Amino acid sequence: MNAHKNDWNDIHIAYKVATLGTLTAAAEALDVHHSTVLRRINALEERLGTRLFHRHARGYQVTEAGLLLTQTAESTQNDFNRLLGKLAGTDNQLSGTLVLTTVNNMAELLLPMLADFQALYPNIKLEYAADSRILKLEHGEAHVSIRPGKKPKDLDYVVQHLADSPVTLYGSSAYLKKYGKIKSLNKVAGHKFISTIEPYSQISFINWMNSELDPQQIALRVNDFNAFIPAIKAGFGAAPLNFETAKAYPDLLPLMAPPEHWAIPQWLTTHVDMHRTSKVQAFTQFLKQRFNALAN
């Protein structure tokens, strides 16, 4: 039994080396000494009678045999993560931890809602995971996701339309005084704008700036939508904001009516294995009620 256990541990170590590329990185991820990783890799190769890695000065590169082993190990790891996710969703009590993941520019809108929810259910401890990378529900990284844009198509997800967020261009009062309002998207000569470093062509208002504006009109590009607000305040120009976010900043003023095709659909997403748990049901029902109230 111990031999089999050690074999799996060694395979897991090999998987880490393959994915991270060096013994040092794998050792740090596994919280073991560099020499332990080297010894276990050498022992595994000796037992298997094959070389799993090409050793280079820049790191470890998998051989054909190493690729086969690590692909199988990755599949096993994913299965294990899914199992943990399912187990995490079996709690039917209105207690424990509930993780919400979304993009990183919705904090102004969502955090007051989360405070109200926790007041109703004090035994549920909330975690708000806002990131450009939306966490994987199937791996148990989060219980509920709010995804903007295109409707998620994951077969194991329960997806509900939550709201459509109107978006328009905002500027500071100083900007409005100097440049005036924008009459239409076809009449923006003389205006300055704030856009993103990444093209984000799937987002209508970013695509408009990248394809329709003179590049000289882009005064600043940022790598995070959260930077739009301080950039507007700093006077770089106009930038698109959704209404809910902009409400928290009365010093930012809309420059035009919201174009209908700029509205962003928001999708409330849960994994099928967690969807019917009591805490997830309580939370999703609460969110839907609050978003409905905003729309009316």
Side-chain angles (χ1 to χ4, degrees), residues 214-286:
D214 182 336
Q216 295 302 315
Q217 290 181 269
I218 306 296
L220 178 70
R221 293 185 184 273
V222 297
N223 69 340
D224 190 317
F225 289 106
N226 283 335
F228 278 175
I229 291 171
I232 295 171
K233 290 182 175 182
F236 279 100
L241 298 175
N242 68 67
F243 273 27
E244 290 84 3
T245 298
K247 283 179 183 177
Y249 302 91
D251 53 331
L252 303 184
L253 304 173
L255 302 180
M256 63 179 296
E260 288 187 11
H261 65 286
W262 279 14
I264 304 174
Q266 307 285 347
W267 303 98
L268 183 61
T269 308
T270 55
H271 193 273
V272 65
D273 292 327
M274 302 182 193
H275 180 69
R276 291 297 177 189
T277 59
S278 297
K279 63 183 178 183
V280 169
Q281 280 292 301
F283 186 61
T284 55
Q285 292 302 319
F286 173 84

Side-chain angles (χ1 to χ4, degrees), residues 37-274:
V37 177
L38 176 61
R39 175 172 53 82
R40 301 291 284 271
I41 292 295
N42 290 341
L44 179 60
E45 289 183 329
E46 184 176 349
R47 285 199 304 276
L48 295 175
T50 188
R51 182 63 62 91
L52 300 174
F53 296 95
H54 296 297
R55 277 74 166 169
H56 300 287
R58 61 183 181 275
Y60 273 42
Q61 182 178 1
V62 292
T63 63
E64 185 175 350
L67 180 62
L68 178 62
L69 181 140
T70 54
Q71 285 176 337
T72 302
E74 181 177 21
S75 176
T76 302
Q77 184 68 57
N78 287 338
D79 288 343
F80 182 66
N81 288 339
R82 292 189 189 96
L83 173 61
L84 291 179
K86 291 180 180 180
L87 293 175
T90 57
D91 179 14
N92 283 320
Q93 302 301 314
L94 290 173
S95 62
T97 300
L98 190 144
V99 183
L100 170 66
T101 180
T102 187
V103 292
N104 53 10
N105 64 337
M106 294 189 69
E108 295 286 350
L109 173 64
L110 289 174
L111 288 178
M113 295 184 186
L114 299 190
D116 290 344
F117 177 81
Q118 192 161 67
L120 289 173
Y121 302 100
N123 292 326
I124 297 179
K125 304 305 178 185
L126 294 170
E127 293 184 8
Y128 179 70
D131 201 318
S132 56
R133 180 186 76 89
I134 298 181
L135 307 185
K136 294 182 178 180
L137 304 182
E138 65 270 25
H139 290 176
E141 293 180 326
H143 300 95
V144 180
S145 172
I146 297 178
R147 297 190 177 190
K150 293 182 178 179
K151 183 178 180 179
K153 295 182 179 180
D154 310 66
L155 295 179
D156 291 332
Y157 286 4
V158 178
V159 181
Q160 304 173 74
H161 180 255
L162 187 59
D164 288 315
S165 295
V167 174
T168 194
L169 293 164
Y170 282 79
S172 65
S173 56
Y175 181 90
L176 182 61
K177 184 176 180 181
K178 182 175 181 179
Y179 293 95
K181 287 203 168 188
I182 294 174
K183 294 181 179 179
S184 75
L185 295 179
N186 297 322
K187 297 179 180 180
V188 294
H191 283 273
K192 300 191 301 180
F193 297 90
I194 303 155
S195 188
T196 54
I197 296 172
E198 294 294 325
Y200 294 122
S201 58
Q202 76 278 14
I203 301 176
S204 56
F205 47 84
I206 301 296
N207 185 58
W208 172 79
M209 287 195 284
N210 291 335
S211 61
E212 300 298 328
L213 294 180
D214 182 336
Q216 295 302 315
Q217 290 181 269
I218 306 296
L220 178 70
R221 293 185 184 273
V222 297
N223 69 340
D224 190 317
F225 289 106
N226 283 335
F228 278 175
I229 291 171
I232 295 171
K233 290 182 175 182
F236 279 100
L241 298 175
N242 68 67
F243 273 27
E244 290 84 3
T245 298
K247 283 179 183 177
Y249 302 91
D251 53 331
L252 303 184
L253 304 173
L255 302 180
M256 63 179 296
E260 288 187 11
H261 65 286
W262 279 14
I264 304 174
Q266 307 285 347
W267 303 98
L268 183 61
T269 308
T270 55
H271 193 273
V272 65
D273 292 327
M274 302 182 193

